[in-house]
Amino acid sequence: MPPVEPPEEIRAELVASVLEVSATAGVRVAGGQAIVLLESMKMEIPVVSETGGTVVSVAVAVGDVVQSGDLIAVVDAEEAPE
């Protein structure tokens, strides 16, 4: 049995506004797929999942302002699409 990996916590890397939320809890995502789109200093920054899996939760909504280190989403890699 392979080792169990903890869910991936996706966190903001900078202060930004949430422009778009592309995934919701229960949705399967691929590695590199955008979860949310942030805007900072008139630049759009996609925030992606490093691994494929199922989105457990999304902690932001359109219009929210995130700070560096804020939780954006959690992805469970254990249920990765085949």
Side-chain angles (χ1 to χ4, degrees):
M1 186 176 247
V4 176
E5 292 186 32
E8 174 190 5
E9 290 187 347
I10 301 170
R11 296 191 175 271
E13 295 183 5
L14 69 164
V15 177
S17 298
V18 178
L19 283 182
E20 179 181 306
V21 177
S22 304
T24 58
V27 171
R28 296 181 115 178
V29 293
Q33 182 175 339
I35 302 292
V36 302
L37 183 64
L38 301 178
E39 186 271 329
S40 180
M41 297 175 57
K42 299 189 183 192
M43 291 179 28
E44 293 184 358
I45 303 126
V47 178
V48 301
S49 175
E50 294 292 321
T51 59
T54 301
V55 177
V56 175
S57 64
V58 178
V60 297
V62 173
D64 287 353
V65 175
V66 294
Q67 304 294 316
S68 180
D70 284 357
L71 182 65
I72 290 176
V74 177
V75 175
D76 186 354
E78 284 299 299
E79 297 180 36
E82 297 178 16

